[in-house]
Structures are given as C-alpha cells and as structure tokens.
Amino acid sequence: MSNARAARPTRRGILAAGGALGLGAVLAACGDDDASSSGSQSSASTSGKSGPWTFKDDRGTAVKLDKIPANIVAFTGVGAALYDYGIQVKGVFGPTKTTTGKADVQAGDMDIAKVEILGNVWDEFNVEKYAALAPDVLISTMFDDAGTLWYVPEASKDKIAKLAPSVGISVYDRQLTAPLQRMWELAESLGADMTAAAVTAAKKKFEDAAARLRAAAKAKPDIKVMAGSASAELFYVSGTNLSIDLEYFKALGVNFVEPPESAKKQGGGWYESLSWENVDKYPADIIMMDDRSSTIQPSAITEATWKKLPAVKAGQVIARSPEPILSYDKCVPLLENLAEALEKAKKVS
C-alpha cells in the first residue's frame, strides 16, 4: 500500500490526511460507528446550464465532454461538498455508512440512501456497480503530488479509468482556501447556482469565521494547539505542513505544536507516532482530535496517560476534520470551533 516514490507520503501517511494518524491497515478492516448526519437538504439549486463541458483539474488534465455530466461518481467527501452546492452524485466511494447504518461524518448532509455505495472502506471499489451506473465522470481528491486519486484502489485503477474520465482536486500542501475555491469552480461548471442565497451566505460566514479565528489567535498567542489522532496502539501528532486545514489555521496565527521533521519521517512528513506512554511529549493547551470514524474518539480513550494531560483535564479538547468537506458551509464550523476554543482557553501547559 505504499506510493511509488519514497519521497512522497506512504499510503499509511496519506491516510493521515494531515498527519493525524497512520491507519492504512486499520481503515481497510475497521467499522465506522461514530458519526451521524444531520440529514438536512441542500437549498442550493442548479442553474440549468447545458452544452459542452470542460474542466481542467489539479493534475493539469482538461476533461472535455459533449454535455455537462449527469452521472457523477465521487469520493464521499466530494459528493458531500457538491451536494451542498445542489449537485447530486449517483455513486460514491469512501467512508459513507457506519456499522449502525447511519451516514459517516464524511458524508455530510447527503442522503446516503439515494447514492450507490461502491466502496465503504479503503481498497474497496465495486467496478461492476460502477460500470452499471454508466458514469460520465469520476471525481476525487488527491493527497500527493503524483495525481493519485483518493480511495481509488491501486489494483483496479486502470479498469476504473477506462470507464470514464476523472477529475482530481488537490488537497496536498496548500491552504484550505485553495481547494475550497477549486470545488466552487467545479460545482459551478457542473451547473450549480453559485448566486443562491444559501451558497453566498455560507461563503460570507466562512470569511467572518476566518476573521474571528485570526482575532482569537492574535489575542492568545501563547496558547499551544496540538493536532492529534488516536489508535489502539499509538497516538499521532500532526505537523502543520502538507495539511490544508492546519496550514490555513497556522496562516491565521494559530500557535501549533510542531514535531521536528526527523520525527515525522516514518509518517511520510505528515505526523509523528507516539506510544501512549509518551503522549505527554509535547505541552499543549488545546488538543484537536481527528473526528473520522476510523479513529478512536476522545470519549473512548481509556489510557491513563491521556487522562492526565493538562488539556484533557481542563476540558480543552475539540474535534478536528483532517478531511474537510470542501464546501464553505461545512468549513465554517471548523473555524468557529477553533476560534471559540482559543477564546475560552486557559494556559495549562
């Protein structure tokens, strides 16, 4: 499950999606049982565009079709972002449904009963079901600079590629605002009405939330924030480079714990792995914990060393979304939650 070049993040590292954890093997086997969807409906509507369609993706590939794609298959998080802009995909792959049948956190507000789930875990993609959908285009994100489409299995990628052209949106080594803008452009090209009240209001809320976070970070420059993730054996501390959310938060002035590059080598440059005995290696006042259903959530962590951390004892632990749903609506809470945590935080480290 490794990438072709050692200089790039390993598959295990890519799965960290920002350096939070290395759960390649775990994701392939785990059940998802922590997240739920609000079930709300998108209020955006398509603009009724027609005619030839062209979109140049972040690989530099221009996809050209005779008409705007109707049968869209996408990574779950991409489908969720497009849904917020009024675009309904036909099929998805990636974490979509938990073991209890609820929508995974990465499915956002999509009605998962209305999409064909081609794969729900790592390395799972039903090519036969994909072909039956008669796909016009496949869309996914990319966590490396090699154009690797997220959650498209290496073993079947060639078969998948023959069935429809693909679009890749990069979420690698850039700030959150860049892929947000690219998803906006993609949705607009697909016929979304980007002047819809819900869409414009969400963008304004995002801008306001960014200003709030900048002000909060400026007011609390000494508050140290650590981005972490938990597995049964290890605790993972993310660095801010490579990850779209942390790079953006850092640019807004948030003071993050930064593992040295030497410590992140095993995690492909994304993260440092710590034993639970060493979970107190880095002093932190706020801990942001990976909210994906493949990880252990804070309420379920039983390690005594975790419970003794000053930030944990002070109740200064918040959720982090290492794979943000790339709509302004879904990214607003990411900014607001961190801003509120900073505003309320006490220096405990």
PDB file of all heavy atoms in Angstrom, residues 117-147:
ATOM      1  N   ILE A 117     -23.373   3.030  -3.156  1.00  0.00           N
ATOM      2  CA  ILE A 117     -22.113   2.984  -2.424  1.00  0.00           C
ATOM      3  C   ILE A 117     -21.232   1.909  -3.049  1.00  0.00           C
ATOM      4  O   ILE A 117     -21.502   0.713  -2.928  1.00  0.00           O
ATOM      5  CB  ILE A 117     -22.337   2.717  -0.928  1.00  0.00           C
ATOM      6  CG1 ILE A 117     -23.227   3.811  -0.321  1.00  0.00           C
ATOM      7  CG2 ILE A 117     -21.006   2.652  -0.184  1.00  0.00           C
ATOM      8  CD1 ILE A 117     -23.637   3.557   1.125  1.00  0.00           C
ATOM      9  N   LEU A 118     -20.176   2.336  -3.719  1.00  0.00           N
ATOM     10  CA  LEU A 118     -19.313   1.416  -4.445  1.00  0.00           C
ATOM     11  C   LEU A 118     -18.224   0.824  -3.563  1.00  0.00           C
ATOM     12  O   LEU A 118     -17.629  -0.198  -3.892  1.00  0.00           O
ATOM     13  CB  LEU A 118     -18.675   2.133  -5.637  1.00  0.00           C
ATOM     14  CG  LEU A 118     -19.648   2.785  -6.618  1.00  0.00           C
ATOM     15  CD1 LEU A 118     -18.876   3.540  -7.694  1.00  0.00           C
ATOM     16  CD2 LEU A 118     -20.563   1.747  -7.246  1.00  0.00           C
ATOM     17  N   GLY A 119     -17.955   1.490  -2.464  1.00  0.00           N
ATOM     18  CA  GLY A 119     -16.946   1.026  -1.518  1.00  0.00           C
ATOM     19  C   GLY A 119     -17.037   1.877  -0.277  1.00  0.00           C
ATOM     20  O   GLY A 119     -17.251   3.092  -0.371  1.00  0.00           O
ATOM     21  N   ASN A 120     -16.900   1.248   0.882  1.00  0.00           N
ATOM     22  CA  ASN A 120     -17.092   1.965   2.133  1.00  0.00           C
ATOM     23  C   ASN A 120     -15.811   2.049   2.965  1.00  0.00           C
ATOM     24  O   ASN A 120     -15.739   2.815   3.915  1.00  0.00           O
ATOM     25  CB  ASN A 120     -18.191   1.282   2.947  1.00  0.00           C
ATOM     26  CG  ASN A 120     -18.784   2.171   4.016  1.00  0.00           C
ATOM     27  OD1 ASN A 120     -19.258   3.266   3.729  1.00  0.00           O
ATOM     28  ND2 ASN A 120     -18.764   1.718   5.260  1.00  0.00           N
ATOM     29  N   VAL A 121     -14.813   1.260   2.572  1.00  0.00           N
ATOM     30  CA  VAL A 121     -13.548   1.241   3.309  1.00  0.00           C
ATOM     31  C   VAL A 121     -12.401   1.283   2.309  1.00  0.00           C
ATOM     32  O   VAL A 121     -12.586   1.184   1.097  1.00  0.00           O
ATOM     33  CB  VAL A 121     -13.414  -0.019   4.197  1.00  0.00           C
ATOM     34  CG1 VAL A 121     -14.479  -0.035   5.276  1.00  0.00           C
ATOM     35  CG2 VAL A 121     -13.487  -1.294   3.357  1.00  0.00           C
ATOM     36  N   TRP A 122     -11.189   1.430   2.835  1.00  0.00           N
ATOM     37  CA  TRP A 122     -10.001   1.510   2.000  1.00  0.00           C
ATOM     38  C   TRP A 122      -9.844   0.262   1.130  1.00  0.00           C
ATOM     39  O   TRP A 122     -10.078  -0.856   1.575  1.00  0.00           O
ATOM     40  CB  TRP A 122      -8.782   1.688   2.904  1.00  0.00           C
ATOM     41  CG  TRP A 122      -7.500   1.889   2.147  1.00  0.00           C
ATOM     42  CD1 TRP A 122      -6.517   0.964   1.954  1.00  0.00           C
ATOM     43  CD2 TRP A 122      -7.073   3.076   1.488  1.00  0.00           C
ATOM     44  NE1 TRP A 122      -5.491   1.512   1.218  1.00  0.00           N
ATOM     45  CE2 TRP A 122      -5.800   2.816   0.916  1.00  0.00           C
ATOM     46  CE3 TRP A 122      -7.629   4.357   1.327  1.00  0.00           C
ATOM     47  CZ2 TRP A 122      -5.088   3.775   0.202  1.00  0.00           C
ATOM     48  CZ3 TRP A 122      -6.919   5.314   0.620  1.00  0.00           C
ATOM     49  CH2 TRP A 122      -5.667   5.012   0.069  1.00  0.00           C
ATOM     50  N   ASP A 123      -9.491   0.467  -0.134  1.00  0.00           N
ATOM     51  CA  ASP A 123      -9.241  -0.604  -1.101  1.00  0.00           C
ATOM     52  C   ASP A 123     -10.511  -1.325  -1.539  1.00  0.00           C
ATOM     53  O   ASP A 123     -10.435  -2.417  -2.120  1.00  0.00           O
ATOM     54  CB  ASP A 123      -8.230  -1.620  -0.550  1.00  0.00           C
ATOM     55  CG  ASP A 123      -6.909  -1.565  -1.297  1.00  0.00           C
ATOM     56  OD1 ASP A 123      -6.773  -0.715  -2.190  1.00  0.00           O
ATOM     57  OD2 ASP A 123      -6.019  -2.373  -1.001  1.00  0.00           O
ATOM     58  N   GLU A 124     -11.661  -0.755  -1.294  1.00  0.00           N
ATOM     59  CA  GLU A 124     -12.931  -1.357  -1.704  1.00  0.00           C
ATOM     60  C   GLU A 124     -13.579  -0.472  -2.770  1.00  0.00           C
ATOM     61  O   GLU A 124     -13.839   0.708  -2.521  1.00  0.00           O
ATOM     62  CB  GLU A 124     -13.864  -1.497  -0.498  1.00  0.00           C
ATOM     63  CG  GLU A 124     -15.206  -2.135  -0.814  1.00  0.00           C
ATOM     64  CD  GLU A 124     -16.089  -2.239   0.422  1.00  0.00           C
ATOM     65  OE1 GLU A 124     -16.740  -1.238   0.781  1.00  0.00           O
ATOM     66  OE2 GLU A 124     -16.103  -3.312   1.054  1.00  0.00           O
ATOM     67  N   PHE A 125     -13.813  -1.039  -3.943  1.00  0.00           N
ATOM     68  CA  PHE A 125     -14.444  -0.299  -5.039  1.00  0.00           C
ATOM     69  C   PHE A 125     -15.044  -1.327  -5.991  1.00  0.00           C
ATOM     70  O   PHE A 125     -14.330  -2.074  -6.636  1.00  0.00           O
ATOM     71  CB  PHE A 125     -13.410   0.556  -5.768  1.00  0.00           C
ATOM     72  CG  PHE A 125     -13.990   1.558  -6.733  1.00  0.00           C
ATOM     73  CD1 PHE A 125     -13.910   2.914  -6.465  1.00  0.00           C
ATOM     74  CD2 PHE A 125     -14.599   1.149  -7.912  1.00  0.00           C
ATOM     75  CE1 PHE A 125     -14.435   3.844  -7.356  1.00  0.00           C
ATOM     76  CE2 PHE A 125     -15.127   2.064  -8.806  1.00  0.00           C
ATOM     77  CZ  PHE A 125     -15.043   3.420  -8.526  1.00  0.00           C
ATOM     78  N   ASN A 126     -16.365  -1.365  -6.068  1.00  0.00           N
ATOM     79  CA  ASN A 126     -17.046  -2.341  -6.904  1.00  0.00           C
ATOM     80  C   ASN A 126     -17.090  -1.846  -8.352  1.00  0.00           C
ATOM     81  O   ASN A 126     -17.918  -0.990  -8.712  1.00  0.00           O
ATOM     82  CB  ASN A 126     -18.462  -2.585  -6.378  1.00  0.00           C
ATOM     83  CG  ASN A 126     -19.123  -3.780  -7.037  1.00  0.00           C
ATOM     84  OD1 ASN A 126     -19.095  -3.927  -8.258  1.00  0.00           O
ATOM     85  ND2 ASN A 126     -19.725  -4.650  -6.226  1.00  0.00           N
ATOM     86  N   VAL A 127     -16.180  -2.362  -9.168  1.00  0.00           N
ATOM     87  CA  VAL A 127     -16.057  -1.902 -10.552  1.00  0.00           C
ATOM     88  C   VAL A 127     -17.299  -2.243 -11.365  1.00  0.00           C
ATOM     89  O   VAL A 127     -17.722  -1.472 -12.243  1.00  0.00           O
ATOM     90  CB  VAL A 127     -14.799  -2.507 -11.211  1.00  0.00           C
ATOM     91  CG1 VAL A 127     -14.665  -2.013 -12.652  1.00  0.00           C
ATOM     92  CG2 VAL A 127     -13.551  -2.131 -10.417  1.00  0.00           C
ATOM     93  N   GLU A 128     -17.910  -3.388 -11.082  1.00  0.00           N
ATOM     94  CA  GLU A 128     -19.114  -3.788 -11.825  1.00  0.00           C
ATOM     95  C   GLU A 128     -20.264  -2.816 -11.556  1.00  0.00           C
ATOM     96  O   GLU A 128     -20.963  -2.390 -12.485  1.00  0.00           O
ATOM     97  CB  GLU A 128     -19.532  -5.210 -11.428  1.00  0.00           C
ATOM     98  CG  GLU A 128     -18.607  -6.296 -11.945  1.00  0.00           C
ATOM     99  CD  GLU A 128     -17.260  -6.338 -11.212  1.00  0.00           C
ATOM    100  OE1 GLU A 128     -17.206  -5.890 -10.041  1.00  0.00           O
ATOM    101  OE2 GLU A 128     -16.276  -6.792 -11.816  1.00  0.00           O
ATOM    102  N   LYS A 129     -20.467  -2.458 -10.297  1.00  0.00           N
ATOM    103  CA  LYS A 129     -21.514  -1.485  -9.970  1.00  0.00           C
ATOM    104  C   LYS A 129     -21.204  -0.124 -10.582  1.00  0.00           C
ATOM    105  O   LYS A 129     -22.107   0.595 -11.025  1.00  0.00           O
ATOM    106  CB  LYS A 129     -21.660  -1.355  -8.449  1.00  0.00           C
ATOM    107  CG  LYS A 129     -22.366  -2.513  -7.776  1.00  0.00           C
ATOM    108  CD  LYS A 129     -22.574  -2.225  -6.295  1.00  0.00           C
ATOM    109  CE  LYS A 129     -23.333  -3.347  -5.608  1.00  0.00           C
ATOM    110  NZ  LYS A 129     -23.547  -3.061  -4.156  1.00  0.00           N
ATOM    111  N   TYR A 130     -19.928   0.207 -10.606  1.00  0.00           N
ATOM    112  CA  TYR A 130     -19.507   1.477 -11.199  1.00  0.00           C
ATOM    113  C   TYR A 130     -19.867   1.500 -12.685  1.00  0.00           C
ATOM    114  O   TYR A 130     -20.452   2.476 -13.183  1.00  0.00           O
ATOM    115  CB  TYR A 130     -18.005   1.642 -11.005  1.00  0.00           C
ATOM    116  CG  TYR A 130     -17.411   2.897 -11.612  1.00  0.00           C
ATOM    117  CD1 TYR A 130     -17.876   4.161 -11.262  1.00  0.00           C
ATOM    118  CD2 TYR A 130     -16.357   2.814 -12.524  1.00  0.00           C
ATOM    119  CE1 TYR A 130     -17.322   5.311 -11.807  1.00  0.00           C
ATOM    120  CE2 TYR A 130     -15.788   3.956 -13.069  1.00  0.00           C
ATOM    121  CZ  TYR A 130     -16.270   5.206 -12.705  1.00  0.00           C
ATOM    122  OH  TYR A 130     -15.716   6.338 -13.246  1.00  0.00           O
ATOM    123  N   ALA A 131     -19.554   0.436 -13.384  1.00  0.00           N
ATOM    124  CA  ALA A 131     -19.868   0.360 -14.813  1.00  0.00           C
ATOM    125  C   ALA A 131     -21.369   0.441 -15.057  1.00  0.00           C
ATOM    126  O   ALA A 131     -21.824   1.081 -16.022  1.00  0.00           O
ATOM    127  CB  ALA A 131     -19.302  -0.933 -15.392  1.00  0.00           C
ATOM    128  N   ALA A 132     -22.147  -0.186 -14.171  1.00  0.00           N
ATOM    129  CA  ALA A 132     -23.601  -0.195 -14.322  1.00  0.00           C
ATOM    130  C   ALA A 132     -24.210   1.197 -14.184  1.00  0.00           C
ATOM    131  O   ALA A 132     -25.300   1.456 -14.709  1.00  0.00           O
ATOM    132  CB  ALA A 132     -24.224  -1.137 -13.295  1.00  0.00           C
ATOM    133  N   LEU A 133     -23.518   2.089 -13.509  1.00  0.00           N
ATOM    134  CA  LEU A 133     -24.006   3.460 -13.357  1.00  0.00           C
ATOM    135  C   LEU A 133     -23.810   4.279 -14.628  1.00  0.00           C
ATOM    136  O   LEU A 133     -24.299   5.406 -14.718  1.00  0.00           O
ATOM    137  CB  LEU A 133     -23.289   4.151 -12.197  1.00  0.00           C
ATOM    138  CG  LEU A 133     -23.635   3.667 -10.781  1.00  0.00           C
ATOM    139  CD1 LEU A 133     -22.744   4.356  -9.750  1.00  0.00           C
ATOM    140  CD2 LEU A 133     -25.105   3.925 -10.456  1.00  0.00           C
ATOM    141  N   ALA A 134     -23.084   3.722 -15.604  1.00  0.00           N
ATOM    142  CA  ALA A 134     -22.761   4.444 -16.835  1.00  0.00           C
ATOM    143  C   ALA A 134     -22.185   5.820 -16.506  1.00  0.00           C
ATOM    144  O   ALA A 134     -22.714   6.855 -16.926  1.00  0.00           O
ATOM    145  CB  ALA A 134     -23.992   4.580 -17.723  1.00  0.00           C
ATOM    146  N   PRO A 135     -21.094   5.863 -15.750  1.00  0.00           N
ATOM    147  CA  PRO A 135     -20.572   7.135 -15.255  1.00  0.00           C
ATOM    148  C   PRO A 135     -20.081   8.056 -16.369  1.00  0.00           C
ATOM    149  O   PRO A 135     -19.482   7.605 -17.348  1.00  0.00           O
ATOM    150  CB  PRO A 135     -19.411   6.701 -14.355  1.00  0.00           C
ATOM    151  CG  PRO A 135     -18.953   5.397 -14.940  1.00  0.00           C
ATOM    152  CD  PRO A 135     -20.221   4.721 -15.394  1.00  0.00           C
ATOM    153  N   ASP A 136     -20.366   9.338 -16.205  1.00  0.00           N
ATOM    154  CA  ASP A 136     -19.827  10.345 -17.116  1.00  0.00           C
ATOM    155  C   ASP A 136     -18.461  10.818 -16.638  1.00  0.00           C
ATOM    156  O   ASP A 136     -17.600  11.157 -17.445  1.00  0.00           O
ATOM    157  CB  ASP A 136     -20.775  11.549 -17.203  1.00  0.00           C
ATOM    158  CG  ASP A 136     -22.107  11.200 -17.829  1.00  0.00           C
ATOM    159  OD1 ASP A 136     -22.106  10.432 -18.815  1.00  0.00           O
ATOM    160  OD2 ASP A 136     -23.138  11.685 -17.346  1.00  0.00           O
ATOM    161  N   VAL A 137     -18.290  10.857 -15.313  1.00  0.00           N
ATOM    162  CA  VAL A 137     -17.036  11.335 -14.753  1.00  0.00           C
ATOM    163  C   VAL A 137     -16.879  10.812 -13.329  1.00  0.00           C
ATOM    164  O   VAL A 137     -17.877  10.585 -12.628  1.00  0.00           O
ATOM    165  CB  VAL A 137     -16.979  12.884 -14.765  1.00  0.00           C
ATOM    166  CG1 VAL A 137     -17.996  13.486 -13.801  1.00  0.00           C
ATOM    167  CG2 VAL A 137     -15.582  13.400 -14.472  1.00  0.00           C
ATOM    168  N   LEU A 138     -15.640  10.599 -12.930  1.00  0.00           N
ATOM    169  CA  LEU A 138     -15.304  10.237 -11.551  1.00  0.00           C
ATOM    170  C   LEU A 138     -14.515  11.397 -10.957  1.00  0.00           C
ATOM    171  O   LEU A 138     -13.582  11.912 -11.585  1.00  0.00           O
ATOM    172  CB  LEU A 138     -14.490   8.945 -11.513  1.00  0.00           C
ATOM    173  CG  LEU A 138     -14.022   8.445 -10.130  1.00  0.00           C
ATOM    174  CD1 LEU A 138     -13.977   6.926 -10.107  1.00  0.00           C
ATOM    175  CD2 LEU A 138     -12.641   9.008  -9.760  1.00  0.00           C
ATOM    176  N   ILE A 139     -14.858  11.796  -9.726  1.00  0.00           N
ATOM    177  CA  ILE A 139     -14.188  12.932  -9.088  1.00  0.00           C
ATOM    178  C   ILE A 139     -13.679  12.524  -7.716  1.00  0.00           C
ATOM    179  O   ILE A 139     -14.409  11.927  -6.923  1.00  0.00           O
ATOM    180  CB  ILE A 139     -15.144  14.133  -8.927  1.00  0.00           C
ATOM    181  CG1 ILE A 139     -15.824  14.463 -10.261  1.00  0.00           C
ATOM    182  CG2 ILE A 139     -14.387  15.349  -8.403  1.00  0.00           C
ATOM    183  CD1 ILE A 139     -16.927  15.502 -10.136  1.00  0.00           C
ATOM    184  N   SER A 140     -12.425  12.853  -7.428  1.00  0.00           N
ATOM    185  CA  SER A 140     -11.877  12.576  -6.106  1.00  0.00           C
ATOM    186  C   SER A 140     -10.858  13.641  -5.740  1.00  0.00           C
ATOM    187  O   SER A 140     -10.491  14.486  -6.559  1.00  0.00           O
ATOM    188  CB  SER A 140     -11.222  11.190  -6.063  1.00  0.00           C
ATOM    189  OG  SER A 140     -10.913  10.823  -4.724  1.00  0.00           O
ATOM    190  N   THR A 141     -10.419  13.592  -4.505  1.00  0.00           N
ATOM    191  CA  THR A 141      -9.349  14.470  -4.053  1.00  0.00           C
ATOM    192  C   THR A 141      -8.007  13.763  -4.257  1.00  0.00           C
ATOM    193  O   THR A 141      -7.954  12.588  -4.598  1.00  0.00           O
ATOM    194  CB  THR A 141      -9.543  14.835  -2.572  1.00  0.00           C
ATOM    195  OG1 THR A 141      -9.801  13.629  -1.827  1.00  0.00           O
ATOM    196  CG2 THR A 141     -10.703  15.790  -2.391  1.00  0.00           C
ATOM    197  N   MET A 142      -6.917  14.506  -4.009  1.00  0.00           N
ATOM    198  CA  MET A 142      -5.579  13.947  -4.164  1.00  0.00           C
ATOM    199  C   MET A 142      -4.708  14.405  -3.000  1.00  0.00           C
ATOM    200  O   MET A 142      -4.623  15.602  -2.721  1.00  0.00           O
ATOM    201  CB  MET A 142      -4.955  14.402  -5.487  1.00  0.00           C
ATOM    202  CG  MET A 142      -5.751  13.999  -6.715  1.00  0.00           C
ATOM    203  SD  MET A 142      -4.982  14.519  -8.286  1.00  0.00           S
ATOM    204  CE  MET A 142      -4.994  16.309  -8.113  1.00  0.00           C
ATOM    205  N   PHE A 143      -4.079  13.444  -2.310  1.00  0.00           N
ATOM    206  CA  PHE A 143      -3.246  13.733  -1.153  1.00  0.00           C
ATOM    207  C   PHE A 143      -1.751  13.596  -1.446  1.00  0.00           C
ATOM    208  O   PHE A 143      -0.950  13.421  -0.540  1.00  0.00           O
ATOM    209  CB  PHE A 143      -3.626  12.824   0.019  1.00  0.00           C
ATOM    210  CG  PHE A 143      -4.857  13.283   0.752  1.00  0.00           C
ATOM    211  CD1 PHE A 143      -6.114  12.839   0.369  1.00  0.00           C
ATOM    212  CD2 PHE A 143      -4.760  14.170   1.820  1.00  0.00           C
ATOM    213  CE1 PHE A 143      -7.248  13.258   1.046  1.00  0.00           C
ATOM    214  CE2 PHE A 143      -5.884  14.583   2.495  1.00  0.00           C
ATOM    215  CZ  PHE A 143      -7.127  14.135   2.114  1.00  0.00           C
ATOM    216  N   ASP A 144      -1.389  13.663  -2.714  1.00  0.00           N
ATOM    217  CA  ASP A 144       0.029  13.673  -3.061  1.00  0.00           C
ATOM    218  C   ASP A 144       0.210  14.525  -4.310  1.00  0.00           C
ATOM    219  O   ASP A 144      -0.762  15.067  -4.855  1.00  0.00           O
ATOM    220  CB  ASP A 144       0.578  12.255  -3.262  1.00  0.00           C
ATOM    221  CG  ASP A 144      -0.117  11.490  -4.390  1.00  0.00           C
ATOM    222  OD1 ASP A 144      -0.716  12.138  -5.284  1.00  0.00           O
ATOM    223  OD2 ASP A 144      -0.063  10.252  -4.387  1.00  0.00           O
ATOM    224  N   ASP A 145       1.455  14.676  -4.753  1.00  0.00           N
ATOM    225  CA  ASP A 145       1.731  15.480  -5.938  1.00  0.00           C
ATOM    226  C   ASP A 145       1.865  14.623  -7.188  1.00  0.00           C
ATOM    227  O   ASP A 145       2.333  15.087  -8.223  1.00  0.00           O
ATOM    228  CB  ASP A 145       2.993  16.325  -5.718  1.00  0.00           C
ATOM    229  CG  ASP A 145       4.224  15.481  -5.420  1.00  0.00           C
ATOM    230  OD1 ASP A 145       4.110  14.238  -5.370  1.00  0.00           O
ATOM    231  OD2 ASP A 145       5.307  16.072  -5.219  1.00  0.00           O
ATOM    232  N   ALA A 146       1.450  13.373  -7.097  1.00  0.00           N
ATOM    233  CA  ALA A 146       1.576  12.449  -8.222  1.00  0.00           C
ATOM    234  C   ALA A 146       0.246  12.212  -8.937  1.00  0.00           C
ATOM    235  O   ALA A 146       0.186  11.425  -9.883  1.00  0.00           O
ATOM    236  CB  ALA A 146       2.133  11.115  -7.732  1.00  0.00           C
ATOM    237  N   GLY A 147      -0.823  12.854  -8.480  1.00  0.00           N
ATOM    238  CA  GLY A 147      -2.117  12.670  -9.121  1.00  0.00           C
ATOM    239  C   GLY A 147      -2.849  11.422  -8.704  1.00  0.00           C
ATOM    240  O   GLY A 147      -3.742  10.942  -9.421  1.00  0.00           O
TER     241      GLY A 147
END
